[in-house]
Structure formats: C-alpha cells, structure tokens
Amino acid sequence: MGWLTKILKGSSYKGHHHGKYQEERMWDEARNSVDELTDVEKEEIDCAIALSLAEEDHKGKNVIDDDSQSEEDEHLARAQPEEDEHLARAQPEEDEHLAKVQLEEDEQLAKALQESMFVESPPRYDSGNIFQPFPFFSSGGYRICAGCKTEIGHGRFLSCMGAVWHPECFRCRACNQPITDYEFSMSGNHPYHKSCYKEQNHPRCDVCKNYIPTNSAGLIEYRAHPFWLQKYCPSHERDRTPRCCSCERMEPTDTRYLSLDDGRKLCLECLDSAIMDTHECQPLYLEIQGFYEGLNMKVEQQVPMLLVERQALNEAMEGEKNGHHHLPETRGLCLSEEQTVTTILRRPRIGAGYRIIDMITEPYRLSRRCEVTAILVLYGLPRLLTGSILAHEMMHAWLRLKGYPNLRPEVEEGICQVLAHMWLESEIYSIPGSDVASSSSSSPSSSSSSSSNTSSKKGKRSDFEKKLGEFFKHQIESDTSSAYGEGFRLGNQAVLKYGLKRTLDHIRMTGSFP
C-alpha cells in the first residue's frame, strides 16, 4: 500500500504563494494645520500674496501727479481726432479688466501654493519606489478608494495592492472585517487576515486536529492515505499512534478503538461488522461456497474453515510446505498438511479499556482426507474483508482439488485475487436485502449466483461498509507485489478478454494466463 507525501507552500507572509504584499502597506496622515508649516514656507506664501496685491495696485491705479502733466495731456487731447479720444476713454476700462484677471490668477497661484503645503508627500513602498498616484486620482485630482469607489480626500488612507483605500474599506475576504495588522495574506487577489488565511488554507492533521507544522525548509509536509485521503503529521508514524488493522486509517487522538489480544487495533466502525469466532463465520463460509457454485466451480469436498489468532496462523504457515504468503502479514491460509491448529471457539467479550477478554480457544486436529485439510482466516476482521479472504483461499482449495499443477506464484495468487475481487463486486453492487448477487463485471462468462443462506452480519449495509468494500477492492487493484498485485492485473485482464472458464482452461494446459 503506497502512502502519499504532500508538500505545500506556506502562506504569503512566509514568502510563498503570492509574495509579501505587506511591504506595500503604508499609513499616511495628512497635514491639516497651518501651524505645521515651516517659517520658510510661511514667508514664501506671504511674499507671493504681497507681490500679487502690489501688482494689482500698480495696474489698477491711474493717478495724475502734477498740473504740468495735466496741461500737456489736455493739449494732446485737443490735437487728437475723435477716434483717439474714444480709444483713450476705453483704455482705463481695459486696464481695469486685465488687472482683475491677473489678480484672480495670482490668487489661484497663491491658493495652489498654500494647498500644496497641506497635501502629504507621495506615498512610497517600503522598498523605496515612489508610489505612482495617477491611476488612483479622479479627473478632479482626488484619490479614489478601491473599495467604496468614493473620494478619499484629506486624512488617513491605505496604499497597498496597487491601489488606495479608506482604512475601513480594506477588509478580509473571509471575515469581512477591516485589516488593521501591518502584515496580511493574499489568495486569489484577495486580502486575508493572517489568521483567517491559515484557518481556510492551512491543512489540519486528522489525527491530532492541530495545524500541520512546516518542515525545516518552511514547507508544509504531511502524509496522506491513498484511498481515505486522511492527512496527518509525519510524526504520527513514529509516536505509536494506533492504526486500524482493517481499514488502515490512523485513529484520531479523541477516538476509542478496540485492542485485540494479538496487538492489533480495530476501529469501532470496522468492529461493527467484525466476525470474531469460527461459529459466527460459518454462514459467510456457506455464502462463499454458494458464490462458487454460481460460477460452476462447486467445491465437492467439505473443507473445514477455522477462525484463528495471528499467532496460530503464523505457526500453521511455518508448518505448511506449499503456498505463497503475502508479507508483512498473512490473513488467510489454505492448508494441505496434517497438523493441529488452535481455533477460536467463542466470541470474546470487550472489557475495560476496550480490550478483548474471555476468549475461549480449542485445539483442532486436521486430518488429511483430500488435498486440502483446512482454510484458516484471521479473526476480528469486518465481514467484507473476511469474505474476500475466504474467496481467495477457496480458490486455492479449488485449484488443488481439481488437480491443477503447481503454478508460478503470480499465476496462482493472481487468479485467487481475481475471485476475491469478483466476490467483493458482487457484494458491493448487489441489491440490499436480496439473496441474488450480481455476477462480476470481471467475468463475462459467469452466471449469477444465489444463496438461501443468511450470511454472518449480512443485512442493509451502512455507507461506511460500502466504502470499506471499495477500499478492499482498491487494495487488491493497487497491490504492488509481483505475485498478488501484478498477478491480479494479468489474471483480471485475461478474464475480461476471454472469460473465466477459458482462462482457467488455459492455466490448466499451459500454467500461465492466456
């Protein structure tokens, strides 16, 4: 089972994602008092106003200084034609008009100089680049807020993200509250409080529920289950966090689980359909036999089926000469040797601390009446997993009882996995409450099977149990071992193309898949 390692980049304030936008942020306070002007600035304004007024007096006055000048003017006036006299009378009016225009221009200039002393200097980025104000000003020269689209005027404003804002208009995309911190995060061209961004984007561990920490490179690294997509901190692989022996999910710290006496851990969801003793498993065993009958592959001999502990299974595996076992843990075994096996006689109880107690076992002597002496299955597994193991081991028994030659591991284990996969499909896609299991899509030549037996734990399946069945199928399909994984893929491809019967006939004749 392959595990995924994910590495994500951190949020913007770490230098990842969209950059450090906090460097663009700068608060400016406009000058709003003449008292803030320097003495030099005040003198320049007074001088400009005085010059303007003096020029007005000079141009607006028409004063005659002495009588001699008057007499000379009268003499010249009598000598001029009437046209000149008319122009002379119009000249004072024109001079007065020009004086007024000049006065207005001087007053506007003085006002502009005065206003320029009140307007704050152009904002700058922290890096020292001068902020370009042109895109943010209206035709009247006022700043326009990028949030409310109104004039900012004089007062505090915020320059960031290539625009200017009222402080109350620069808001977090997540909580819609103003961002007053110096640093903020960006995602999709939208600003966020650093805390809001972390809440929305920083992954949490599904085990400890904390934010997954960054590694030494400042990147977020976590493990993910390839099927359940459960995310967790890498440290939980080393801190003895329990993992369910059935679904392989890591158990959250606040979740209870069952401790089996052989050291395995079982989550409560898998426990709900778990089969715990040999007697409880007999109806499921009869159902598997009916499934084989529906495929015209009836097992004539009565082969004992026993549920055993892990230690008993390992001991039986050591005494078995034939068979190929899937490490690191074997969950089922088809025996062909005579030996004594310890089987679970009665379902154990759950005691304090969710531990198995009062397990009753007994020795069972296997005698060789045929090529197969027994089928062993590990106890404490959910019904669908137990059934797929039984279907797999039943195929081993069928091959031996039908006289198939010794096959290469990828052929024998591969075709056994094909039958386990077919049974899982028939269970997952069957109609709840119906005794009819649909034929597998892996076997075009197989017929539908029916059974009047009531299997252990069978009934209306929960959504989790359906998901669990998909997981067990996924395990078979994604197995990376050469015998179980590659063997299944080759065998399933042959069954899809030629049908189950023709594939088995070819295996009997050639010892390989067609």
Side-chain angles (χ1 to χ4, degrees):
M1 178 62 62
W3 297 97
L4 305 180
T5 300
K6 299 287 186 180
I7 299 180
L8 301 177
K9 291 184 178 180
S11 58
S12 61
Y13 65 90
K14 289 281 189 180
H16 309 296
H17 292 296
H18 302 284
K20 295 186 176 181
Y21 285 86
Q22 62 270 18
E23 292 184 356
E24 297 180 7
R25 181 167 187 154
M26 180 178 67
W27 292 99
D28 289 332
E29 184 72 40
R31 298 178 181 174
N32 52 16
S33 173
V34 178
D35 295 337
E36 297 182 16
L37 301 177
T38 63
D39 293 337
V40 176
E41 292 171 339
K42 292 179 181 179
E43 289 177 4
E44 289 177 353
I45 294 173
D46 294 339
C47 181
I49 296 174
L51 289 173
S52 177
L53 295 177
E55 187 175 353
E56 177 191 5
D57 291 340
H58 178 74
K59 291 184 178 181
K61 290 182 181 180
N62 189 10
V63 181
I64 301 174
D65 295 332
D66 51 26
D67 294 337
S68 61
Q69 185 66 38
S70 259
E71 290 176 0
E72 183 179 356
D73 289 341
E74 289 178 2
H75 176 73
L76 291 173
R78 285 194 299 269
Q80 291 295 329
E82 289 185 0
E83 292 84 356
D84 294 341
E85 185 176 353
H86 175 72
L87 291 174
R89 285 197 302 270
Q91 186 65 39
E93 296 178 0
E94 184 177 353
D95 291 343
E96 184 178 358
H97 174 72
L98 292 174
K100 290 181 179 180
V101 171
Q102 185 65 38
L103 178 61
E104 290 177 358
E105 291 177 353
D106 292 342
E107 289 177 347
Q108 289 178 359
L109 176 61
K111 183 178 180 181
L113 288 172
Q114 194 171 17
E115 286 181 350
S116 68
M117 303 305 295
F118 285 90
V119 178
E120 61 275 10
S121 59
R124 293 175 176 267
Y125 293 99
D126 289 349
S127 59
N129 296 325
I130 295 179
F131 175 80
Q132 299 297 326
F134 301 105
F136 318 124
F137 282 71
S138 66
S139 58
Y142 295 99
R143 290 182 178 86
I144 301 299
C145 174
C148 64
K149 310 302 182 185
T150 62
E151 296 178 357
I152 291 179
H154 301 294
R156 283 182 104 193
F157 71 92
L158 175 63
S159 172
C160 62
M161 294 173 56
V164 290
W165 314 70
H166 290 113
E168 65 275 9
C169 292
F170 189 64
R171 294 176 176 266
C172 173
R173 175 78 169 183
C175 67
N176 199 36
Q177 294 300 312
I179 300 176
T180 58
D181 302 326
Y182 179 74
E183 292 184 342
F184 61 94
S185 296
M186 290 287 297
S187 178
N189 292 325
H190 297 292
Y192 290 83
H193 289 112
K194 288 171 63 177
S195 58
C196 292
Y197 179 89
K198 188 174 184 178
E199 183 68 29
Q200 284 198 353
N201 297 278
H202 195 118
R204 284 184 181 270
C205 175
D206 292 328
V207 175
C208 64
K209 307 303 181 183
N210 297 322
Y211 290 114
I212 295 177
T214 56
N215 58 19
S216 58
L219 303 176
I220 302 170
E221 180 181 359
Y222 62 87
R223 302 290 185 266
H225 192 284
F227 180 83
W228 301 105
L229 302 181
Q230 182 188 42
K231 301 186 293 292
Y232 56 90
C233 305
S235 60
H236 295 313
E237 293 185 335
R238 304 182 297 272
D239 61 9
R240 297 185 178 181
T241 297
R243 187 192 299 275
C244 178
C245 65
S246 168
C247 65
E248 297 186 351
R249 295 179 301 173
M250 282 220 173
E251 298 304 313
T253 53
D254 57 349
T255 301
R256 307 180 82 173
Y257 56 88
L258 180 66
S259 294
L260 303 177
D261 62 345
D262 54 12
R264 291 178 293 147
K265 305 294 189 298
L266 192 67
C267 72
L268 300 187
E269 290 176 300
C270 289
L271 175 64
D272 186 56
S273 63
I275 299 177
M276 305 298 286
D277 64 49
T278 298
H279 176 74
E280 187 179 6
C281 192
Q282 292 305 315
L284 178 59
Y285 184 39
L286 293 176
E287 181 187 336
I288 301 298
Q289 291 176 343
F291 172 75
Y292 271 80
E293 286 183 30
L295 299 174
N296 296 318
M297 297 170 60
K298 184 178 179 179
V299 178
E300 301 292 344
Q301 292 81 355
Q302 292 298 319
V303 179
M305 188 280 305
L306 306 174
L307 242 63
V308 298
E309 297 178 87
R310 182 162 61 180
Q311 182 179 355
L313 189 64
N314 292 337
E315 290 174 355
M317 184 173 60
E318 291 176 0
E320 183 67 15
K321 296 179 181 179
N322 299 322
H324 316 285
H325 312 299
H326 193 191
L327 298 177
E329 181 177 61
T330 299
R331 292 172 169 175
L333 192 63
C334 180
L335 297 179
S336 58
E337 302 293 330
E338 290 188 350
Q339 54 180 297
T340 300
V341 177
T342 301
T343 182
I344 299 175
L345 185 64
R346 191 182 73 182
R347 181 184 180 92
R349 296 190 301 110
I350 300 176
Y354 269 73
R355 292 185 176 275
I356 288 291
I357 60 173
D358 296 342
M359 176 177 286
I360 298 178
T361 62
E362 68 173 3
Y364 190 98
R365 178 64 185 174
L366 302 177
S367 59
R368 187 180 177 89
R369 297 187 179 91
C370 58
E371 288 298 317
V372 179
T373 57
I375 292 176
L376 307 184
V377 178
L378 189 64
Y379 91 102
L381 300 176
R383 174 186 173 275
L384 289 178
L385 180 55
T386 303
S388 67
I389 296 171
L390 273 173
H392 178 102
E393 301 303 332
M394 181 75 80
M395 189 60 188
H396 280 300
W398 188 89
L399 291 172
R400 294 180 191 177
L401 293 172
K402 293 300 180 181
Y404 276 67
N406 289 331
L407 302 173
R408 289 181 290 113
E410 59 268 21
V411 176
E412 183 168 348
E413 298 298 343
I415 195 65
C416 290
Q417 286 291 76
V418 169
L419 268 294
H421 190 268
M422 288 169 59
W423 182 81
L424 281 172
E425 282 193 329
S426 71
E427 287 293 297
I428 294 171
Y429 302 122
S430 64
I431 302 174
S434 172
D435 291 330
V436 179
S438 63
S439 61
S440 170
S441 60
S442 300
S443 178
S445 64
S446 64
S447 60
S448 299
S449 64
S450 63
S451 172
S452 59
N453 301 300
T454 303
S455 64
S456 175
K457 302 277 184 175
K458 187 171 183 180
K460 185 177 181 180
R461 286 181 287 275
S462 65
D463 291 338
F464 175 75
E465 190 173 5
K466 295 176 185 176
K467 188 73 172 177
L468 196 59
E470 294 287 351
F471 168 63
F472 297 144
K473 275 184 56 184
H474 169 81
Q475 279 189 310
I476 294 175
E477 295 163 356
S478 60
D479 196 309
T480 58
S481 66
S482 59
Y484 290 80
E486 189 60 29
F488 163 76
R489 286 182 281 276
L490 291 173
N492 194 54
Q493 184 179 4
V495 171
L496 285 171
K497 186 174 182 179
Y498 301 106
L500 181 58
K501 186 177 184 306
R502 289 182 61 187
T503 300
L504 291 174
D505 291 342
H506 192 276
I507 292 175
R508 180 191 290 274
M509 291 185 296
T510 66
S512 62
F513 293 118

